Amino acid sequence: MIKPFVTPIVSKVDRIKKFDTEKNGPYRVEVDLTPRLVAYFEVSIFQRDKSQEPLIKSENDNLLGQVTRPPDNVDHIFVHESDCVAVGISSEHFCTSNKMPGWDLHSYGYHGDDGGIFHASGEMIRNFGPAFGVGDTIGCGIDYTRQSVFFTLNGHFLGYAFQEIDLTSKFFPTVGIDSNCPFQCNFGESPFVFDLKPFSDKYLHVVKGLLFDNVA
């Protein structure tokens, strides 16, 4: 089994107020440094804002190199028939070009367009959870004690999607994008939507055993 590891996770952020009338004060940040056997990250998907998208240069732009934003009546250029964001993990052998996580042997994924889980194939293994998209936060974690991968949605634990995985290889957070919607990954630099502490604490006896059993 992998040895317990420390991943700094911001667990709480609030303002320090010296007086009740004070509106803004310095921030106080609490960081969890507890050794754990669970690795976790989250992905939040946001509404697309066309005003912030880069301009596209076309053949009709003038000789001064000016570019124009396509008019609203050609919005079909940007809109996918079925947007999909896929969240999961992959090894260093995963091909990041034209593949979603779960479409080969080196990755595992939970897909937002159909709520299915994928591994080793472009065909869905089974329906796992709800479909997800704009406004949702999806979490993905590796439970090294159970050698399993789990997912969360908007702070709710969805269960273990993949079990009895060979975790001797290094795995990396992976997000597949077939969408124009922006997204943000959180690796612990701000509080997670899902409360990871109770989930990790249930393995504290295992962590302590691995850390202290060999201490003379």
Side-chain angles (χ1 to χ4, degrees):
M1 179 185 293
I2 188 173
K3 294 181 179 179
F5 52 86
V6 174
T7 303
I9 294 176
V10 174
S11 56
K12 185 178 181 181
V13 178
D14 56 14
R15 284 188 181 275
I16 302 174
K17 296 182 179 181
K18 296 180 180 179
F19 307 99
D20 293 338
T21 56
E22 186 178 16
K23 293 183 178 179
N24 297 320
Y27 283 104
R28 176 175 57 196
V29 179
E30 295 183 6
V31 180
D32 186 353
L33 298 176
T34 305
R36 67 186 72 245
L37 288 168
V38 176
Y40 181 77
F41 74 104
E42 289 184 342
V43 178
S44 297
I45 307 171
F46 303 104
Q47 182 66 52
R48 175 187 173 204
D49 185 353
K50 292 188 223 178
S51 66
Q52 296 185 2
E53 294 178 359
L55 299 174
I56 298 177
K57 190 171 183 179
S58 69
E59 296 178 357
N60 297 324
D61 291 326
N62 62 38
L63 297 178
L64 295 178
Q66 295 177 333
V67 292
T68 57
R69 194 178 304 279
D72 291 338
N73 61 359
V74 293
D75 191 62
H76 65 275
I77 293 176
F78 301 96
V79 177
H80 295 238
E81 291 184 2
S82 178
D83 280 12
C84 179
V85 175
V87 179
I89 60 172
S90 65
S91 74
E92 60 184 346
H93 302 295
F94 174 64
C95 177
T96 57
S97 177
N98 300 319
K99 281 191 177 182
M100 288 290 200
W103 283 4
D104 67 4
L105 284 169
H106 310 293
S107 60
Y108 301 84
Y110 170 33
H111 292 214
D113 59 339
D114 52 21
I117 53 174
F118 292 74
H119 172 60
S121 172
E123 297 293 328
M124 181 197 304
I125 295 177
R126 63 180 173 89
N127 287 110
F128 173 71
F132 58 83
V134 173
D136 291 324
T137 296
I138 308 90
C140 176
I142 300 178
D143 183 335
Y144 286 95
T145 302
R146 296 185 54 159
Q147 294 186 300
S148 302
V149 175
F150 65 91
F151 292 95
T152 68
L153 181 61
N154 299 325
H156 300 287
F157 182 68
L158 296 180
Y160 291 95
F162 306 99
Q163 302 188 54
E164 298 182 0
I165 298 173
D166 181 3
L167 295 174
T168 54
S169 299
K170 291 183 179 180
F171 282 93
F172 304 89
T174 308
V175 182
I177 300 295
D178 185 14
S179 171
N180 290 300
C181 294
F183 68 95
Q184 182 179 41
C185 294
N186 180 9
F187 300 103
E189 63 270 22
S190 61
F192 290 128
V193 176
F194 176 67
D195 188 359
L196 189 63
K197 189 177 186 306
F199 191 87
S200 299
D201 285 353
K202 67 181 181 180
Y203 295 131
L204 279 179
H205 65 289
V206 179
V207 172
K208 290 179 180 179
L210 291 171
L211 290 176
F212 301 115
D213 277 356
N214 295 324
V215 177

